[in-house]
Amino acid sequence: MCGIIGYIGEKQAYPIIVNGLKKLEYRGYDSYGICVLNNNNVFLKRKVGRISEENSESEDKGFIGIGHSRWATTGSVCEKNAHPQEYNGFYVVHNGIIENYKDLKEELTGKGHQFNSDTDTEVIAHLISDEFNGNLEDAVRKALKRIVGSYGIAVVSPKDEGKIVIAKLSSPIIIGICADGHIIASDSSAVIDYTKQIITLDDNEMAVLRKDSYIISKEKKIETIDWENDSVSKGDYEHFMLKEIMEESKVIDSAIQGRLLEDDVKLGGLETSKERLKKANKIHLVGCGTGYYAAKTGEYLMEEIAGIDAEAQMGSEIRYRNVRLDSNQAAIFVSQSGETADNLASLKKMKEFGVLTLGVTNVIGSTQTKETEGGVYTRCGREVAVASTKAFIGQLTVLTMISIFLGRQRNLNSEKAKEIILELKNLSKKADSILGDCSKIEEIAKKYSQYKDFWFIGRKFNYPIALEGALKLKEISYVHAEGTPGGELKHGPLALIDENCPTIAICPQDSVYDKMLSNMEEVKARNGKIIAIANIGDEKVKEIADDVIYIPKTLECLFPILTTIPLHLFAYYLALSLNRDIDKPRNLAKSVTVE
Ligand code: M6R
């Protein structure tokens, strides 16, 4: 899972490549590399670390270049495994996985090839070299026939200079048409500073780009990108993550703006699917990581508000299962980036079965928005920190509105819809009150920062929020954390509870409140420390818990939006105490573009 970029034209390639890689860093940031050709001279740089620390230097290096930002799949993080991978003058950047690379490597080694890296990508350069007969695109075409797996690749060589050859199978690649040449990249965010005219390559397509022409196997439509790269800065915040958590109240307002009617919602992206949604007898909610936890919350919301059969699915699992799928069902893909490969693969499968596919997406113009038949934008603005926070709040808000939409098509009565809508309008103020007083959460997080294990519990709507709280904590603090429904503790996890394993209990005054109190008592009886999320003024929780974080009251179905906020802050402040690399935690990437 990586970002690739290339430029060929009248301008110096190097600064364009560096700028593009900075935009693609969300796809991987463990190492990067750049190769620029200049009349048979090759400039090659490969480095462990982050492209964001690289300056774009204006010195002349040449007019043809490719670059890569890596998230290691095959081969550890080190300079020799960074891309471009090279063999015999053929330079390759690759996003994807070559599944049969071991067999190919063995075969090539038998023929006398020497390998310099542990990557799967290097075999592509070797195969191209083997097939080369004076024409780069012919060699790439033949080499790709021998490969099993996924790829978005860009290849250059001084042996056939003046062109970049690109190809795609299951990993995205687009071509930007500039006034001065061509730029290629894994996604449009890397090209939009130079052009709005793009061509999206389809699977099994190849293209040859020259300064003033391009050839693709079949005629393609040029699309115009109608959005800008929103430039973002941390402002006065130490980390993007804190800035993004602080935007969580604003995100609620932005998601609902212009979409709430008196007793219904108006979601333009669902208009054309209205009739099919009315007839749908089941909704699949598909996501990964935090997106999956939003989907899981959506499952509870849809069952409760819309009275429809709903089931959350992990993007990485559903495609391998024999779940019964048909055209009377709908699938809602929940994703911040809209580029998560596991989701996109499941989307393909759902379409094959005739399921109506919709998206709840943040990034405008992403693959998910193009591949689905409709959907709703979360409108959170750009999320930079790898740990997803405000996007989750946006997803919960949109899923609540979709539940109202589906409910009004079914048995949700006007009064109930009005009640939820009214409270949705008030919710950002309540979220603000939590965000405005986070010193207590910071203090509690510091107090518990030396613990190595945490348990998160919640029931019903707040069970997925327990999962989200645990994921956020492990992701940025590298501390072990798990989430379970409160009622499941007694079926096993209680064995782990003692004075060294604190429990974070999400316990607002909802329909499972009393049950949660009992679960907290069970923890206390085993000497477990408890940090509770409870409603302002709750004396019962105060008596049981060691520390309490208070939140305002709201409707039961809206509690997840409020209970999430202290958990995001808790994870942030605990990671801060441990001095972790909060915005770019080790081993992760913002967008996971390999399956
Ligand atoms: O872009 P997506 O929402 O599809 O990403 C899905 C997950 O990779 C993502 O939510 C991941 O779990 C986050 N880093 C969690 O904070």
Side-chain angles (χ1 to χ4, degrees):
M1 178 182 67
C2 309
I4 67 169
I5 180 141
Y7 173 79
I8 182 163
E10 286 164 15
K11 290 188 180 154
Q12 286 295 325
Y14 188 82
I16 296 176
I17 305 282
V18 171
N19 182 40
L21 286 181
K22 286 180 180 170
K23 302 277 171 17
L24 295 171
E25 204 180 18
Y26 75 91
R27 303 173 77 94
Y29 46 79
D30 57 40
S31 53
Y32 65 92
I34 298 161
C35 163
V36 179
L37 302 186
N38 194 356
N39 292 325
N40 290 327
N41 293 317
V42 180
F43 165 86
L44 178 66
K45 176 186 240 174
R46 291 191 303 206
K47 265 181 108 168
V48 170
R50 288 165 188 186
I51 187 72
S52 40
E53 283 143 27
E54 177 76 38
N55 66 47
S56 40
E57 306 169 37
S58 58
E59 65 185 86
D60 296 354
K61 291 194 167 71
F63 304 98
I64 306 169
I66 54 175
H68 187 269
S69 182
R70 182 169 190 243
W71 183 82
T73 48
T74 310
S76 62
V77 180
C78 58
E79 205 173 299
K80 70 171 184 181
N81 290 338
H83 300 203
Q85 284 291 309
E86 185 265 348
Y87 180 72
N88 195 25
F90 297 95
Y91 295 82
V92 182
V93 289
H94 169 219
N95 168 33
I97 293 178
I98 308 302
E99 288 163 14
N100 61 337
Y101 89 98
K102 281 196 176 145
D103 295 343
L104 291 169
K105 198 166 175 177
E106 205 177 299
E107 183 192 320
L108 290 159
T109 308
K111 285 164 79 179
H113 285 241
Q114 281 194 346
F115 282 79
N116 298 311
S117 78
D118 312 314
T119 64
D120 51 345
T121 303
E122 194 185 345
V123 298
I124 307 177
H126 286 252
L127 290 172
I128 294 171
S129 167
D130 248 18
E131 301 287 357
F132 187 68
N133 208 355
N135 180 289
L136 188 59
E137 55 270 36
D138 283 351
V140 172
R141 190 175 296 112
K142 287 177 186 157
L144 292 179
K145 287 206 172 115
R146 299 173 63 186
I147 277 169
V148 178
S150 61
Y151 53 79
I153 55 163
V155 187
V156 292
S157 174
K159 296 185 176 183
D160 190 9
E161 206 173 305
K163 59 176 77 156
I164 301 178
V165 178
I166 60 169
K168 163 188 159 44
L169 178 62
S170 303
S171 295
I173 198 163
I174 57 139
I175 304 168
I177 319 281
C178 312
D180 48 69
H182 295 105
I183 180 166
I184 67 97
S186 297
D187 76 44
S188 33
S189 68
V191 313
I192 200 164
D193 289 350
Y194 307 98
T195 181
K196 296 209 172 216
Q197 306 294 104
I198 62 155
I199 295 172
T200 306
L201 226 57
D202 288 321
D203 277 351
N204 295 309
E205 279 183 344
M206 216 179 97
V208 183
L209 307 165
R210 292 189 176 78
K211 190 174 81 173
D212 39 26
S213 69
Y214 63 85
I215 303 170
I216 310 178
S217 21
K218 71 171 195 258
E219 207 171 308
K220 306 277 298 185
K221 206 175 102 208
I222 299 180
E223 302 160 62
T224 304
I225 309 172
D226 60 359
W227 50 274
E228 302 286 337
N229 265 340
D230 39 350
S231 61
V232 281
S233 85
K234 278 188 277 196
D236 292 335
Y237 292 99
E238 201 179 336
H239 296 100
F240 275 108
M241 183 179 175
L242 184 59
K243 176 176 178 263
E244 287 159 6
I245 296 173
M246 289 301 168
E247 287 167 1
E248 290 187 336
S249 59
K250 208 172 78 188
V251 160
I252 303 170
D253 278 342
S254 164
I256 61 173
Q257 200 190 1
R259 289 169 166 169
L260 300 182
L261 306 173
E262 201 191 340
D263 64 356
D264 206 343
V265 295
K266 189 167 168 281
L267 301 168
L270 300 187
E271 265 318 296
T272 54
S273 315
K274 223 170 170 171
E275 288 314 309
R276 282 193 70 188
L277 280 172
K278 203 170 181 173
K279 289 182 199 137
N281 56 25
K282 176 159 186 175
I283 309 285
H284 299 276
L285 293 131
V286 188
C288 297
T290 284
Y292 171 72
Y293 301 143
K296 190 81 191 156
T297 317
E299 172 189 300
Y300 284 80
L301 288 167
M302 285 180 190
E303 279 170 3
E304 182 101 354
I305 300 174
I308 188 167
D309 189 7
E311 193 178 339
Q313 312 280 3
M314 283 180 191
S316 54
E317 282 295 311
I318 173 82
R319 57 180 302 228
Y320 300 109
R321 289 172 51 195
N322 281 323
V323 175
R324 205 179 62 81
L325 300 171
D326 62 48
S327 57
N328 295 319
Q329 302 175 353
I332 301 176
F333 292 82
V334 184
S335 174
Q336 190 285 129
S337 63
E339 299 293 345
T340 299
D342 288 321
N343 288 343
L344 296 176
S346 312
L347 174 50
K348 211 167 160 187
K349 173 174 171 174
M350 295 283 190
K351 275 176 152 179
E352 280 163 15
F353 281 85
V355 176
L356 170 68
T357 58
L358 302 167
V360 170
T361 320
N362 192 38
V363 176
I364 299 167
S366 55
T367 310
Q368 178 167 291
T369 62
K370 289 184 190 147
E371 296 295 321
T372 43
E373 291 152 83
V376 185
Y377 279 118
T378 46
R379 300 179 182 160
C380 300
R382 191 154 156 228
E383 192 179 66
V384 177
V386 165
S388 190
T389 54
K390 64 173 177 173
F392 183 68
I393 297 294
Q395 289 161 354
L396 297 186
T397 311
V398 167
L399 288 168
T400 307
M401 288 190 288
I402 298 179
S403 303
I404 298 171
F405 179 88
L406 295 170
R408 293 298 282 142
Q409 289 187 322
R410 293 169 174 77
N411 293 328
L412 179 69
N413 67 42
S414 167
E415 286 316 302
K416 187 68 199 162
K418 269 186 198 165
E419 189 190 19
I420 304 171
I421 287 168
L422 199 66
E423 186 59 10
L424 264 176
K425 288 182 185 161
N426 284 326
L427 209 60
S428 72
K429 284 192 211 78
K430 296 187 178 180
D432 259 336
S433 73
I434 305 171
L435 292 166
D437 182 22
C438 48
S439 54
K440 174 84 177 159
I441 303 174
E442 183 174 6
E443 193 185 298
I444 296 174
K446 264 192 199 148
K447 178 174 162 188
Y448 288 87
S449 63
Q450 296 313 313
Y451 287 85
K452 303 274 179 265
D453 299 285
F454 287 84
W455 220 270
F456 286 70
I457 56 170
R459 298 182 83 126
K460 202 175 170 185
F461 290 112
N462 283 300
Y463 157 50
I465 307 309
L467 298 175
E468 164 66 4
L471 176 69
K472 218 84 319 170
L473 186 61
K474 54 191 155 194
E475 187 175 20
I476 58 164
S477 69
Y478 318 149
V479 162
H480 171 243
E482 285 191 50
T484 35
E488 280 294 300
L489 268 185
K490 57 186 177 295
H491 297 293
L494 260 187
L496 291 169
I497 300 296
D498 62 15
E499 64 280 9
N500 297 315
C501 179
T503 296
I504 287 109
I506 310 169
C507 188
Q509 286 159 344
D510 58 10
S511 63
V512 286
Y513 173 71
D514 288 333
K515 301 284 173 207
M516 274 300 296
L517 290 180
S518 308
N519 296 146
M520 285 165 60
E521 293 285 12
E522 288 160 12
V523 171
K524 197 172 173 169
R526 276 124 191 123
N527 296 325
K529 299 211 160 25
I530 299 169
I531 304 162
I533 315 285
N535 285 131
I536 297 166
D538 189 326
E539 292 298 321
K540 284 189 191 164
V541 167
K542 197 173 162 191
E543 267 174 39
I544 309 172
D546 296 87
D547 292 281
V548 187
I549 299 167
Y550 290 104
I551 60 160
K553 283 190 185 150
T554 185
L555 297 177
E556 176 166 27
C557 64
L558 297 179
F559 265 132
I561 298 179
L562 296 186
T563 54
T564 297
I565 299 172
L567 297 184
H568 283 170
L569 285 165
F570 179 78
Y572 173 78
Y573 285 120
L574 197 135
L576 189 70
S577 303
L578 297 175
N579 204 19
R580 301 299 193 219
D581 192 351
I582 292 182
D583 284 339
K584 291 202 169 85
R586 68 184 184 198
N587 305 339
L588 301 178
K590 178 73 184 151
S591 177
V592 185
T593 58
V594 288
E595 287 170 45

